[in-house]
Amino acid sequence: MTPARAPNDFPRPPILARLIVAITTPAREREFVLGDLHEGYNARLESSSPREARAWLWSEALGLASSRWPRKAAADRGSHRPREKHMSSLWNEIRFSLRSLRRAPLYSTLAILTAAVGIGASTAIFSVARPIIFEAAPYPSPEKVVLVWEREKDGSSSNIGFFTFVDLARGVTSFASSAAVSYWQATLASGGMAEAVAGRRVSAGYFTTLGVRPVLGRDFTPEEDAWERRRVIMLTYGIWQRQFGSDSSIVGRMIDVSGYQYLVAGVLPASFEDLIAPDAQIYSPLGYDAERPFACRTCRHLRMVARVKESATMDAALREAERSMSTMRSTYPTEYASVGASLERVDAFATKGVRKAVLALLGAAGLLLLMSCANVSSLMLGRGIERRTDLAVRTALGARVTRLVRQSAVEAALLWLIAAGVGLVLATWGVKALILLSGSPLPRVERMVIDVKTVGVALGLALLSAVLAGTLPALISARGAVIDRVRVGARNIVGRGTQRLRGSLLVAEVALALVMLCGTGLLIRTVTALLDVRLGFDAAHVVDVDVSLSGPRFNDTTVAEYYRRALDAARAVPGVESAALTSQLPLSGSFDGWGIHRKDKPSPNPENDPSAQRFGVSSDYFMTMRIPLLAGRLFSVSDNATSPRVAIVNRAMAERVFRGETVVGKEIEIGGTDGDWRTVVGVVDDVKHLSIDGVPELQVYVPNEQSLDRGASMVVRASSEQVALSQMLPSAIRAVDRGVAVTRAKPMEEFVAGAMAQRRFVLKLLAVFGVVALVLVTAGLYGVTAAGVAERRREIGLRAALGATRRRIVSTVLSRSTRLVGIGLAIGVVGALGLNRTLRTMLFGVSPSDPLTIVAAIGVLLIVAALAALVPARRAAAVDPAITLRTE
């Protein structure tokens, strides 16, 4: 029989395992635990393989490291597991915390709801912001997919021409592939009715550049990217389901598109997102004919997308693009006004319109979460003060301070986790509300959902908030319990440290609330200023119906005839006062820029001539939209295809291009320089076309019969509010020719509202956050003041007994609250001046440091603070000094 050996006689286990055990074991038990570990390790070496012995050793060492629980000496070490004891203790603490929360329903309800509001708002905003800010483009190596622009002298970016695209695709070797994209308004014929479908014409490498493969069929071939062979289409998954019933045999079939027969090459996967053209439903090869006039360097109506090689950097690709553009400018000096090239990541391009607004909302949600933490921390501190006697008794009976702190931490974590569950419910409703409140389609809206990642964020926010809101109250309560354990049952006076902490939390809440209210006030003033902007037209009682003509049966003669018949049909609808046509509608997002050249002052380089928005309009357009005439005359029915070519310009063009000269009678050319001159017959007021808050752009109008477009917007003015006009008008126009795609009637006021949608969206949310912030500040100030009155009740009674008047007592209580609010307002003003600058791009007619807005926000907070502190102050004045003296 092998004699027994002392622990030190056994071979030592690996040093790293011994080090872990030494660190995680109390000093008084370290020697015994190490000896026991040696014995167990060698026993397993004798009975099993070294590998199993090492596995057992690491299991024991890591168990000690994770539990950090002192191991007691026992005859049978295998029957006692520190992890099991630790888990049992944790479960007991959770049950104790649940009972504690149940015993204080008012405290628990207030704390959970306050925390849930912060978590719910933050989680909802995160769900909206995640696909816009935090998620990359849904393509392989998304950081390599870029848009290529021509860079203008002012630093802005613009589209490129066809031959510019060709030269860049050949000259930039850092591009693995590239493609050009052009807008395409197609018409799908189904059941005898035509439907307008947004599409794109793309060069053959488009889907390869994005890294997307069809789920059915094949990609476009280079041979199909030609004018004669481009009648091939690719369907998105959505239109394949909706229009063709998910019929897999659609691939290879011929379908009617815009009056021509197109071959269906394939169907794109359901997960495909086109961040360059989110509205696109069908695609066809670009098929440029280099002999046609629009295939030029100055006709910049293409977007170029490229994929940078894995071995190349973005900077290297940009340098090559700059060199290529420099070569083109040298070779064609009269055809380039741009000064270089620029690259932009596709995901940044897709979200830049709302990125700053969403960042502002994220900041507001973060402020609201911090306010929730401050309020809950104040509630927990008050709860700890109420339980100080209980904690002191437990300390006197032998409970360690670490045990009390841990118990408070478990209670805080449990409270915030429950709040996270409630917050997720609020966030689910909040995401739907955010999408509805946005007023305009948000990018990647289908990815704004509550999923596993969102739940993880909510739980993470809950745990982080538990640490922020629960650590100091737990430590202070435990420290107070140690101090009071020798005088259980005696009168306890709350320490100055506790009062200062509660005051600091209130100061932080006031400062954060002021920042949020200032942001809300700035946006209120912005929207008010935008509503006062002169649009240049009257949107009231005007509706828009878009028509799209396509196919071989339409030529200049048949297009002009259809427009005349469609206008007559619209005017015949009851309630219609007037109707007109325009090639592009103000504030609709349309863009049609053309160069403007003067006959009397030709430019050495026509590319440097100014550009203007071109509108092809019928004679009644200015009357229907009520655009004022400033000089000359308006178009008449005699301005047709056979009459002399004429034009009307806006005030901005008269001032910037002609600079005080007499404009009427001048001759200009729109677009090319082939001598197709037009006589300016009138000047009209500026119309807000691209945006409400921008500088008026140059605008030129031509009679629609002298520049026929295959697609047009019909604007109709009703004599009064006509609810039935939305249904009657499209039906009347469709009856003219059912082969023409006609959209639903949309009020012009919706376009105006859409131009302010982003600001209104942020304003609505900041207003909601501001109201919640005011509620939190009110609750926080009331709680701090009421707690101060309760803690100083004895002192207040003695003051009253010594002759202090009720007014003096009220003023004394209010003075401390006023002092805290004043400090918070001072800090908040500094924060508002700094953080409100993030809203600069969203402001109009107001400065980020607008003093009126800051003073108004301070006034609101002072009123709320006065109301919140007045009730506890009046309660303090009602303290009976006789009762206080008897207790003494």
Side-chain angles (χ1 to χ4, degrees):
M1 182 176 180
T2 305
R5 293 183 290 179
N8 291 336
D9 295 334
F10 289 99
R12 290 174 174 266
I15 187 171
L16 183 57
R18 286 187 285 118
L19 181 62
I20 292 175
V21 173
I23 292 173
T24 57
T25 306
R28 62 180 179 273
E29 299 182 13
R30 189 171 298 141
E31 182 178 354
F32 179 82
V33 172
L34 286 172
D36 190 55
L37 196 70
H38 298 172
E39 182 179 355
Y41 176 65
N42 282 272
R44 279 159 179 78
L45 281 176
E46 295 176 358
S47 61
S48 59
S49 66
R51 182 176 180 180
E52 292 177 347
R54 284 194 299 272
W56 174 86
L57 172 68
W58 283 109
S59 176
E60 289 290 304
L62 294 177
L64 284 167
S66 63
S67 63
R68 295 182 63 87
W69 191 266
R71 301 187 67 173
K72 297 180 180 179
D76 186 6
R77 303 295 293 183
S79 63
H80 178 73
R81 297 283 181 180
R83 183 179 299 177
E84 293 173 2
K85 182 172 182 179
H86 177 69
M87 294 302 296
S88 176
S89 176
L90 179 61
W91 175 242
N92 288 334
E93 289 170 354
I94 291 174
R95 290 193 298 174
F96 181 83
S97 299
L98 285 172
R99 288 198 300 270
S100 177
L101 292 175
R102 278 202 306 268
R103 291 195 195 102
L106 181 60
Y107 156 77
S108 302
T109 303
L110 287 176
I112 289 172
L113 288 179
T114 301
V117 167
I119 292 177
S122 301
T123 304
I125 297 297
F126 170 79
S127 299
V128 172
R130 188 179 70 186
I132 295 176
I133 296 175
F134 302 110
E135 288 186 355
Y139 311 128
S141 301
E143 72 283 356
K144 296 288 186 178
V145 183
V146 297
L147 284 165
V148 185
W149 309 100
E150 287 192 39
R151 179 165 50 84
E152 304 295 338
K153 293 178 181 179
D154 59 359
S156 62
S157 300
S158 65
N159 293 341
I160 66 175
F162 175 71
F163 287 116
T164 305
F165 158 67
V166 172
D167 287 353
L168 285 172
R170 292 172 180 171
V172 182
T173 59
S174 294
F175 291 158
S177 61
S178 60
V181 187
S182 176
Y183 182 76
W184 179 37
Q185 181 67 60
T187 302
L188 281 181
S190 176
M193 295 287 292
E195 177 187 358
V197 177
R200 293 296 184 273
R201 290 200 180 275
V202 299
S203 55
Y206 185 70
F207 298 110
T208 301
T209 301
L210 297 183
V212 179
R213 295 181 178 179
V215 69
L216 289 177
R218 59 171 178 83
D219 199 347
F220 298 137
T221 64
E223 293 75 22
E224 291 170 336
D225 194 4
W227 182 265
E228 302 82 7
R229 302 186 60 184
R230 66 175 185 168
R231 288 179 189 164
V232 183
I233 64 167
M234 187 82 69
L235 303 174
T236 59
Y237 199 88
I239 199 168
W240 174 58
Q241 283 189 315
R242 177 174 58 83
Q243 196 79 8
F244 302 100
S246 302
D247 183 4
S248 58
S249 66
I250 189 68
V251 175
R253 279 168 41 190
M254 305 295 289
I255 62 174
D256 187 302
V257 180
S258 300
Y260 296 95
Q261 292 297 305
Y262 276 69
L263 174 71
V264 179
V267 177
L268 294 165
S271 59
F272 171 62
E273 293 182 61
D274 192 339
L275 299 185
I276 302 172
D279 62 334
Q281 300 182 69
I282 62 174
Y283 297 83
S284 178
L286 188 65
Y288 254 65
D289 184 352
E291 302 299 324
R292 292 181 176 266
F294 52 76
C296 60
R297 296 182 183 274
T298 57
C299 306
R300 296 186 292 178
H301 52 276
L302 295 177
R303 284 178 179 168
M304 179 178 178
V305 59
R307 176 175 287 275
V308 180
K309 290 179 179 178
E310 294 295 332
S311 58
T313 64
M314 192 80 74
D315 290 339
L318 178 59
R319 286 194 297 270
E320 281 196 80
E322 289 276 17
R323 285 196 297 269
S324 184
M325 288 297 302
S326 178
T327 301
M328 283 184 267
R329 286 197 305 275
S330 300
T331 308
Y332 309 98
T334 63
E335 298 190 17
Y336 286 96
S338 57
V339 297
S342 64
L343 304 183
E344 182 181 17
R345 284 183 51 167
V346 167
D347 46 7
F349 163 77
T351 60
K352 65 182 178 182
V354 296
R355 180 177 291 265
K356 291 183 179 179
V358 173
L359 284 173
L361 292 177
L362 271 177
L367 294 180
L368 195 61
L369 181 62
L370 289 176
M371 292 187 67
S372 298
C373 288
N375 239 23
V376 173
S377 185
S378 183
L379 288 171
M380 293 181 67
L381 193 59
R383 172 73 168 161
I385 293 172
E386 292 176 1
R387 298 169 59 190
R388 179 166 289 184
T389 301
D390 173 58
L391 296 176
V393 171
R394 294 177 64 189
T395 305
L397 293 175
R400 296 181 180 179
V401 175
T402 55
R403 177 65 180 272
L404 298 180
V405 172
R406 187 172 63 191
Q407 177 63 60
S408 298
V410 169
E411 184 172 323
L414 191 62
L415 186 149
W416 278 93
L417 287 175
I418 296 172
V422 179
L424 281 172
V425 176
L426 297 177
T428 303
W429 299 337
V431 170
K432 297 177 181 178
L434 286 173
I435 295 173
L436 291 175
L437 285 174
S438 64
S440 60
L442 292 170
R444 311 190 71 186
V445 67
E446 68 281 350
R447 300 186 64 82
M448 298 174 186
V449 294
I450 302 295
D451 56 10
V452 175
K453 290 183 180 179
T454 309
V455 173
V457 167
L459 294 177
L461 289 175
L463 294 176
L464 176 62
S465 302
V467 173
L468 292 176
T471 301
L472 279 178
L475 291 174
I476 289 174
S477 299
R479 177 176 174 272
V482 174
I483 294 173
D484 290 348
R485 67 184 177 188
V486 296
R487 49 189 174 92
V488 176
R491 288 187 302 267
N492 295 330
I493 299 176
V494 178
R496 291 186 179 274
T498 303
Q499 294 178 2
R500 279 197 293 268
L501 175 60
R502 300 181 79 163
S504 300
L505 293 173
L506 177 60
V507 166
E509 284 192 66
V510 172
L512 295 173
L514 181 62
V515 172
M516 200 173 301
L517 289 178
C518 285
T520 305
L522 290 174
L523 284 175
I524 289 174
R525 296 200 62 189
T526 293
V527 172
T528 303
L530 288 173
L531 291 175
D532 292 336
V533 169
R534 292 179 63 254
L535 299 176
F537 62 91
D538 183 7
H541 310 312
V542 176
V543 296
D544 162 62
V545 178
D546 292 339
V547 295
S548 178
L549 287 70
S550 58
R553 65 192 183 93
F554 287 107
N555 52 38
D556 287 351
T557 303
T558 55
V559 168
E561 176 61 25
Y562 171 81
Y563 283 151
R564 284 192 289 269
R565 292 170 57 203
L567 284 173
D568 290 340
R571 291 167 183 149
V573 174
V576 171
E577 183 179 293
S578 62
L581 291 168
T582 177
S583 59
Q584 53 172 344
L585 198 66
L587 301 178
S588 64
S590 57
F591 183 94
D592 190 16
W594 294 67
I596 302 297
H597 315 289
R598 293 181 58 174
K599 186 176 183 179
D600 58 338
K601 293 183 178 180
S603 172
N605 183 4
E607 275 298 297
N608 292 326
D609 286 343
S611 178
Q613 291 293 312
R614 186 193 70 91
F615 301 82
V617 301
S618 61
S619 57
D620 288 342
Y621 177 72
F622 300 101
M623 181 188 68
T624 301
M625 296 292 286
R626 294 182 179 171
I627 300 174
L629 175 68
L630 304 180
R633 68 172 179 88
L634 298 176
F635 295 143
S636 66
V637 292
S638 61
D639 294 316
N640 52 40
T642 60
S643 64
R645 295 185 172 274
V646 294
I648 293 175
V649 300
N650 69 331
R651 183 204 301 264
M653 183 179 291
E655 294 174 351
R656 296 181 212 166
V657 176
F658 297 96
R659 301 183 182 278
E661 302 176 35
T662 300
V663 181
V664 177
K666 297 288 186 181
E667 290 185 273
I668 61 173
E669 187 172 11
I670 303 172
T673 55
D674 54 0
D676 187 13
W677 302 103
R678 292 177 178 271
T679 302
V680 178
V681 297
V683 179
V684 296
D685 202 1
D686 296 330
V687 169
K688 294 292 184 179
H689 177 67
L690 297 180
S691 66
I692 292 181
D693 56 347
V695 176
E697 62 275 354
L698 306 185
Q699 297 163 356
V700 58
Y701 301 86
V702 298
N704 70 314
E705 290 196 20
Q706 293 183 358
S707 181
L708 288 169
D709 294 279
R710 295 298 188 269
S713 295
M714 182 180 293
V715 287
V716 177
R717 177 171 293 279
S719 55
S720 61
E721 290 287 350
Q722 293 288 330
V723 179
L725 200 61
S726 323
Q727 292 79 32
M728 297 172 61
L729 192 60
S731 299
I733 299 173
R734 284 194 189 97
V736 175
D737 188 333
R738 297 194 174 275
V740 174
V742 179
T743 64
R744 71 175 183 87
K746 183 177 181 180
M748 193 66 204
E749 290 174 329
E750 287 190 18
F751 292 100
V752 178
M756 296 191 295
Q758 185 181 122
R759 292 181 174 92
R760 288 183 183 273
F761 174 50
V762 179
L763 171 60
K764 291 172 185 176
L765 290 182
L766 284 184
V768 173
F769 288 174
V771 171
V772 175
L774 284 177
V775 173
L776 292 178
V777 167
T778 304
L781 183 59
Y782 176 84
V784 169
T785 308
V789 169
E791 292 158 4
R792 300 173 60 193
R793 189 179 183 87
R794 175 169 166 267
E795 175 193 344
I796 293 170
L798 291 175
R799 285 177 180 269
L802 294 174
T805 63
R806 293 171 61 90
R807 178 176 296 181
R808 178 66 177 173
I809 293 172
V810 170
S811 65
T812 301
V813 174
L814 290 178
S815 64
R816 181 173 185 271
S817 300
T818 304
R819 185 169 61 254
L820 294 175
V821 171
I823 296 172
L825 291 176
I827 297 173
V829 168
V830 176
L833 291 175
L835 294 179
N836 284 347
R837 296 185 182 277
T838 60
L839 296 173
R840 182 184 295 275
T841 57
M842 302 186 65
L843 301 181
F844 176 76
V846 64
S847 167
S849 56
D850 177 55
L852 181 60
T853 303
I854 295 175
V855 170
I858 291 175
V860 171
L861 277 174
L862 286 175
I863 294 173
V864 170
L867 294 175
L870 189 59
V871 175
R874 291 172 62 87
R875 188 179 300 161
V879 172
D880 189 348
I883 297 176
T884 303
L885 292 174
R886 280 199 299 270
T887 59
E888 288 295 308

